[in-house]
Amino acid sequence: MNTIAFIGLGNMGGPMAANLVKAGFEVRAFDLSQAAQDTAKANGCEVAFSAQEAATDADFIISMLPAGKHVRGLYIEDDAPLFDVIKRGALVIDCSTIDGDTARSVAADGEKLGIGFVDAPVSGGVGGAQAATLTFIVGGSVAEFRQAKPVLEAMGKNIFHAGDHGAGQVAKACNNMLLSILMAGTCEAINMGIKNGLDPAVLSEIMKQSSGGNWALNVYNPYPGVMENAPASKNYQGGFQVDLMIKDLGLAMDISQQSASAVPMGSAARSLFTLHKAKGNGKLDFSSLMKFYQDKEGES
Ligand code: NAD
């Protein structure tokens, strides 16, 4: 069985590494946080002293880090970069949500050393990471995609090949920009209905079965009490934080600027979520934008 180095054992990476162990892979894990290391050990990972120790001789190196600067640092720019120790023929699978430029430049540096690279950002959140039902959106060559697939299948349900290096990050940014627009529109429509005397549950059902139906109405209703298991019914705890949505919308805005793509709806959604964060809601689930529409003057 192949050996996998797993770097970054946070909310997403921790359960993903645990699922690789369950699937029978030998997982050498590393995180800067001691608590994350302890959890990984309890889940059956072998904890390494450093990222370099984990990556030496590994067949696959998976990273799940906050942003592009962490990924570039880990493989190329830190004091002990992983590209100094990763063996030829090994494949780097970076699952972090980062900018496409960083993904493409790390892939190009790896290629010079005979090391493969795919960007493989995920959709599905912490719940999907725990249940091994994530969607992986992969950028890389066909051969690299085939090499990565059996490993990704141990952590996810839908594995897509979006195109060459960086394409996974672009597709992920397109999806999350659309999601932010759908959520903002759904909150806006429900709020207008309530202000005109409609019951939010009745209105949601009407729109769900009509031409306004969308993912937010189907599985993630933003109004408290309409959907029992949605974050809205749990004080907007859990789920996908406003801060992370704003990060993803920033990546989408960069892509739109570089490619001269008009994104008036995405820009508006980004401003709405940023105003909502400014009122102290950055750590709440992104469906809490409902509160933004409902807040009365002077209230936060
Ligand atoms: P997190 O902050 O919980 O975890 C990141 C981990 O990386 C931390 O444990 C941190 O200690 C570790 N780390 C940072 N630099 C390191 C280094 N140089 N070496 C070793 N460990 C290092 O973040 P998360 O929620 O797990 O998200 C990770 C990535 O997944 C992000 O890019 C995020 O945008 C993306 N993502 C998150 C979600 C979600 O719902 N949380 C959903 C989809 C995608």
Side-chain angles (χ1 to χ4, degrees):
M1 188 51 100
N2 288 308
T3 302
I4 299 176
F6 205 116
I7 318 296
L9 307 160
N11 292 324
M12 297 292 289
M16 288 164 70
N19 284 326
L20 289 170
V21 173
K22 278 188 210 151
F25 289 102
E26 189 190 314
V27 181
R28 281 193 237 131
F30 180 73
D31 193 290
L32 297 174
S33 142
Q34 185 61 48
Q37 288 187 22
D38 293 346
T39 307
K41 196 169 180 187
N43 287 333
C45 299
E46 187 189 319
V47 175
F49 290 112
S50 67
Q52 274 201 340
E53 191 198 44
T56 302
D57 287 331
D59 303 296
F60 295 92
I61 300 87
I62 301 180
S63 40
M64 193 50 164
L65 301 176
K69 63 178 181 193
H70 304 101
V71 174
R72 202 172 166 75
L74 179 72
Y75 292 104
I76 299 168
E77 285 174 353
D78 285 354
D79 288 344
L82 294 196
F83 277 171
D84 280 2
V85 299
I86 296 174
K87 67 183 180 188
R88 287 181 78 82
L91 183 70
V92 169
I93 303 176
D94 180 46
C95 298
S96 327
T97 302
I98 63 169
D99 56 292
D101 283 347
T102 297
R104 280 185 285 271
S105 75
V106 176
D109 281 18
E111 200 173 350
K112 287 180 208 145
L113 300 164
I115 300 166
F117 177 95
V118 292
D119 41 302
V122 305
S123 180
V126 176
Q130 287 165 343
T133 56
L134 290 170
T135 293
F136 285 92
I137 311 167
V138 182
S141 69
V142 171
E144 287 169 330
F145 176 71
R146 286 201 184 122
Q147 195 178 350
K149 206 167 175 229
V151 174
L152 300 180
E153 279 168 346
M155 302 180 284
K157 201 168 61 171
N158 298 305
I159 324 288
F160 292 108
H161 187 198
D164 209 347
H165 298 123
Q169 298 297 351
V170 175
K172 161 87 182 170
C174 291
N175 178 69
N176 278 26
M177 184 177 78
L178 176 58
L179 172 63
S180 72
I181 295 165
L182 289 174
M183 184 55 83
T186 300
C187 294
E188 203 162 296
I190 292 176
N191 185 57
M192 187 168 81
I194 293 170
K195 290 224 170 217
N196 285 276
L198 298 188
D199 179 311
V202 173
L203 173 61
S204 294
E205 193 57 29
I206 292 168
M207 294 193 294
K208 209 163 95 178
Q209 305 300 340
S210 305
S211 45
N214 68 70
W215 182 87
L217 285 170
N218 285 341
V219 300
Y220 218 92
N221 195 293
Y223 197 82
V226 173
M227 221 165 244
E228 200 185 329
N229 288 321
S233 300
K234 299 173 188 166
N235 288 323
Y236 299 106
Q237 299 300 312
F240 185 56
Q241 287 181 359
V242 169
D243 281 344
L244 286 176
M245 179 53 95
I246 290 172
K247 173 197 154 185
D248 289 359
L249 284 169
L251 293 170
M253 295 304 109
D254 289 346
I255 293 170
S256 78
Q257 209 162 357
Q258 286 161 9
S259 54
S261 317
V263 288
M265 307 287 284
S267 304
R270 187 193 186 201
S271 298
L272 282 171
F273 280 101
T274 305
L275 285 166
H276 185 47
K277 173 190 166 80
K279 289 180 159 194
N281 299 308
K283 301 292 170 220
L284 296 183
D285 177 74
F286 80 117
S287 65
S288 64
L289 192 70
M290 190 73 236
K291 278 156 56 82
F292 178 85
Y293 283 96
Q294 293 184 294
D295 281 349
K296 296 187 185 71
E297 217 172 306
E299 285 181 16
S300 67

